[in-house]
């Protein structure tokens, strides 16, 4: 009987859903549009998106014209923030020699140009238009492009990051493209590049920033968490460990 | 998004100040979950900051449908290396 009881307890513990808080001290910034308590509105636009990491890195925009719109049922019946090509949250100073950024975004305009849902110092995570091969990229002095194309109006999970061995960018849980260039963060901006150009056209549902390049195990847990939360598990490749069930603790 | 376009910075600043006044800024943010004001959080201070474009004119986002669509040539060109 004792053995059976312990077995049930283990089963119960293992069914707890994984979320970015499980990344512990690695978690540097966590913006979650589903958590309406973390969103401050100015009418129908968002003046502040509060950080859930515990680090107090809230992002804000004091200019009404540059605030993203709050869309209550934007993705999988959950809220998202809509950026119209002239919206962004002001820069946060944040120095990270190694990092990763994961986000759920949907590009809603395709031109010849390149747009940045997340900027950091020089460069950022970009969505490229026709002049840029429709690729996602992690940009710094040089760029590393994704294998997969950006698809207009298709919700997408994008992961990019760097450590002292090089960079990675992965789309929808597929194997990352890599190179041996190292890159760091000096600031972070949501909705445009940090120097104020190339504002994003589209929606952002969630952003998770870490102070290291996540291991494959943690990257896949984060991809699984984002996919199941935002109704995008069909986007994951068949070989993904969280294709059929969301990650648990 | 449409923009209002001006020949000089002074013209743009004056026009933006009027839009800021008309839009009721400064505005205290409201918590999306509780619907209650959050004066200790974000305050929307003004409508926009006029920005100089490549040809020397000044622009800011239009609060309505009056203005012109932004031209990609307004902004510095991005190159992917």
């Amino acid at each position: 009987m004792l053995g059976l009881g312990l077995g049930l307890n283990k089963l119960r513990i293992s069914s707890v859903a994984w979320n970015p808080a499980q990344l512990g001290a690695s978690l540097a910034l966590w913006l979650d549009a589903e958590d309406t308590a973390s969103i401050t509105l100015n009418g129908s636009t968002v003046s502040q998106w509060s950080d859930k990491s515990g680090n107090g890195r809230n992002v804000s925009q004091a200019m009404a014209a540059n605030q993203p719109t709050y869309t209550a049922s934007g993705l999988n019946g959950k809220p998202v923030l809509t950026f119209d090509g002239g919206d962004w949250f002001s820069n946060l100073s944040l120095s990270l020699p190694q990092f990763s950024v994961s986000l759920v975004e949907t590009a809603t305009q395709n031109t010849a140009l390149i747009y940045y849902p997340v900027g950091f110092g020089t460069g950022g995570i970009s969505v490229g238009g026709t002049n840029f091969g429709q690729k996602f990229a992690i940009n710094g002095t040089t760029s590393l492009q994704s294998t997969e194309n950006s698809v207009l109006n298709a919700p997408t999970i994008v992961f990019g990051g760097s450590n002292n061995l090089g960079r990675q960018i992965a789309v929808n849980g597929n194997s990352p493209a890599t190179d041996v260039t190292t890159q760091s963060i000096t600031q972070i901006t949501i909705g445009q590049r940090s120097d104020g150009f190339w504002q994003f056209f589209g929606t952002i549902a969630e952003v998770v920033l870490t102070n290291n390049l996540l291991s494959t195990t943690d990257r896949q847990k984060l991809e699984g968490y984002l996919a199941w939360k935002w109704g995008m598990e069909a986007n994951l490749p068949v070989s993904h460990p969280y294709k059929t069930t969301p990650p648990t603790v | 998004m449409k923009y209002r376009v001006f020949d000089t910075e002074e013209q743009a600043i004056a026009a933006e100040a009027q839009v800021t006044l008309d839009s009721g800024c400064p505005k205290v943010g409201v918590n999306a979950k509780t619907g209650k004001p959050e004066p200790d959080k974000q305050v929307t201070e003004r409508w926009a900051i006029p920005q100089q474009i490549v040809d020397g004119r000044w622009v800011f986002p239009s609060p309505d449908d009056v203005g012109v669509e932004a031209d990609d040539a307004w902004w510095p060109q991005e190159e992917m290396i």
Side-chain angles (χ1 to χ4, degrees), chain A residues 4 8 20 28 35 71 87 94-95 105 110 135 152 154-155 160 194 204 206 208 215 219 224 244:
Chain A
L4 179 60
L8 287 173
D35 185 351
T71 306
D87 301 329
L94 184 60
S95 182
E105 62 82 46
N110 186 22
K135 303 296 184 185
L152 197 63
S194 300
I204 299 177
E206 191 156 352
V208 178
S215 65
R219 171 175 58 80
T244 55

Side-chain angles (χ1 to χ4, degrees), chain A residues 36-99:
Chain A
T36 52
S38 72
I39 290 175
T40 307
L41 296 174
N42 171 26
S44 61
T45 58
V46 177
S47 58
Q48 179 166 304
W49 200 1
S50 297
D51 175 21
K52 294 175 66 176
S53 75
N55 294 307
R57 296 185 172 120
N58 306 332
V59 296
S60 62
Q61 174 54 267
M63 261 32 93
N66 306 125
Q67 292 167 349
T69 303
Y70 179 72
T71 306
S73 295
L75 181 58
N76 198 29
K78 304 175 194 290
V80 299
L81 274 59
T82 300
F83 296 74
D84 70 354
D87 301 329
W88 69 90
F89 289 112
S90 301
N91 293 345
L92 277 175
S93 278
L94 184 60
S95 182
L96 299 178
Q98 303 182 23
F99 68 96

Side-chain angles (χ1 to χ4, degrees), chain A residues 30 46 90 113 129 142 169 194 223:
Chain A
W30 179 15
V46 177
S90 301
L113 301 178
T142 61
I169 184 160
S194 300
E223 290 165 345

Side-chain angles (χ1 to χ4, degrees), chain A residues 125-142:
Chain A
I125 301 293
S126 69
V127 183
T130 52
N131 284 357
F132 299 91
Q134 307 289 156
K135 303 296 184 185
F136 296 95
I138 177 170
N139 303 283
T141 307
T142 61

